[in-house]
Amino acid sequence: MQKILSVANQKGGVGKTTTALNVAAGLVKKGRKVLAIDFDPQGNLSDYLRHEADELPTISELLQSAANRELDKLDVGSCVRHNHEGIDYTPSHIVLASAGVFLAQVVCREQVLRKLLSHPAFGSYDYIIIDCLPSLNVLLTNALAASTGVLIPVQTQKFSLDGLRQLEEVYRLVRENVNPNLEIEGVLLTMADNTNMSKAVEAEVRERYGQKVFQTSIRRSVEATNSTYVQESLISARNSKLGAEYQAVVDELLNGR
Ligand SMILES: Nc1ncnc2c1ncn2[C@@H]1O[C@H](COP(=O)(O)OP(=O)(O)OP(=O)(O)O)[C@@H](O)[C@H]1O
Ligand SMILES: [Mg+2]
């Protein structure tokens, strides 16, 4: 069965995009058919994937077409791009930032992405990975409404846990109102290091979320910034420690945890 995973946390800079790309790359390496969706107007995932601006619709126009019931006017399948590492993706665009405006007029505005992803063009993917923006807005609720699971990267830093209650609340509301099948796929500890602070936060997260926390934590390493700089996944980099950690996360995902 197809899995649609939102990588979400409204806190900025916790490793969502790094996780989305490397989980996607790790799944591709394991032979899965994967689509990555950049659902953040900042477009960081698109950059990381080496996307170059083109004439094809971005996720913003696709969403708008779905909202206006005009998807039949587009060749949706041809809107999927392919990156040099074999990852299929739909890029973002800054105009996605105004999605709140056009969605405000739409009935069932939380379910527009869900409707888009139910298009036959997306049916053959084993996994769809959605890189969410750092906000609790209508784009996040769209992502959660369209997903089978949410993957929550949590940086092992002070205050990292503070915002999670709000995210849990949104998760609960989406489950209750639009998507009863939504699961917490996992909590992933990121940027872990040997400081007492990092260890304390890791212990607190493991205490609070138990089995939901991936056994593998992602360590803090300059490899991550280098990876975004050269626009290549950690997974594909030779002898990357973080690449091996992300591949272990993918193994945990595939083993059903
Ligand atoms: N394990 C890591 N160790 C060190 N740096 C990291 C690690 N993971 C990510 N980073 C770096 O931290 C920054 C933020 O990461 P990333 O863009 O993945 O976070 P994000 O949650 O998607 O941010 P935003 O909320 O802005 O979308 C980037 O510069 C990235 O290279
Ligand atoms: Mg991001």
Side-chain angles (χ1 to χ4, degrees):
M1 210 190 72
Q2 184 181 63
K3 282 206 165 195
I4 304 180
L5 304 182
S6 279
V7 182
N9 187 336
Q10 78 274 21
K11 201 167 158 56
V14 298
K16 292 181 289 295
T17 301
T18 307
T19 298
L21 181 83
N22 287 287
V23 165
L27 286 165
V28 167
K29 198 170 170 184
K30 289 281 178 176
R32 302 307 193 274
K33 192 162 162 35
V34 182
L35 175 72
I37 296 180
D38 188 349
F39 211 47
D40 180 351
Q42 295 181 104
N44 295 153
L45 182 68
S46 308
D47 285 347
Y48 199 176
L49 286 158
R50 294 195 191 174
H51 176 68
E52 303 270 355
D54 57 25
E55 299 297 309
L56 292 170
T58 65
I59 193 66
S60 183
E61 285 104 38
L62 286 170
L63 202 65
Q64 209 153 358
S65 294
N68 297 337
R69 301 174 185 280
E70 290 176 344
L71 277 178
D72 51 345
K73 293 187 185 158
L74 287 176
D75 179 0
V76 177
S78 73
C79 300
V80 172
R81 281 67 152 190
H82 314 278
N83 104 321
H84 68 289
E85 293 188 41
I87 303 169
D88 285 5
Y89 71 97
T90 45
S92 177
H93 189 277
I94 189 68
V95 295
L96 186 63
S98 59
V101 178
F102 74 78
L103 287 174
Q105 316 297 326
V106 178
V107 179
C108 299
R109 70 184 68 94
E110 265 79 35
Q111 305 204 44
V112 179
L113 182 64
R114 183 182 185 147
K115 190 168 144 201
L116 171 64
L117 296 187
S118 67
H119 190 281
F122 302 116
S124 64
Y125 288 101
D126 300 314
Y127 281 84
I128 298 179
I129 309 290
I130 306 171
D131 182 30
C132 295
L133 73 173
S135 164
L136 291 174
N137 69 5
V138 67
L139 289 175
L140 179 72
T141 46
N142 262 273
L144 296 184
S147 294
T148 57
V150 53
L151 199 165
I152 309 171
V154 175
Q155 191 180 348
T156 57
Q157 277 294 313
K158 200 167 172 61
F159 308 127
S160 287
L161 281 155
D162 293 355
L164 285 182
R165 295 249 183 255
Q166 284 166 288
L167 183 60
E168 282 174 39
E169 182 64 11
V170 174
Y171 163 78
R172 198 181 58 75
L173 286 171
V174 169
R175 237 178 103 94
E176 269 178 26
N177 295 298
V178 276
N179 183 7
N181 299 322
L182 181 66
E183 299 289 344
I184 293 186
E185 189 72 32
V187 174
L188 179 64
L189 291 154
T190 63
M191 307 187 208
D193 58 32
N194 289 328
T195 59
N196 289 339
M197 161 79 66
S198 176
K199 288 177 191 162
V201 173
E202 172 150 3
E204 203 179 335
V205 170
R206 290 196 184 276
E207 166 82 26
R208 190 155 129 194
Y209 293 96
Q211 294 296 314
K212 289 285 179 201
V213 186
F214 287 91
Q215 302 250 304
T216 313
S217 300
I218 307 297
R219 308 278 306 166
R220 175 182 296 281
S221 164
V222 70
E223 283 180 6
T225 15
N226 288 343
S227 157
T228 34
Y229 180 67
V230 298
Q231 297 163 294
E232 257 178 46
S233 72
L234 292 152
I235 294 281
S236 68
R238 267 170 180 263
N239 303 323
S240 162
K241 275 170 78 175
L242 291 191
E245 287 167 2
Y246 271 113
Q247 197 65 57
V249 168
V250 166
D251 289 343
E252 286 190 52
L253 269 179
L254 291 173
N255 293 333
R257 313 181 60 249

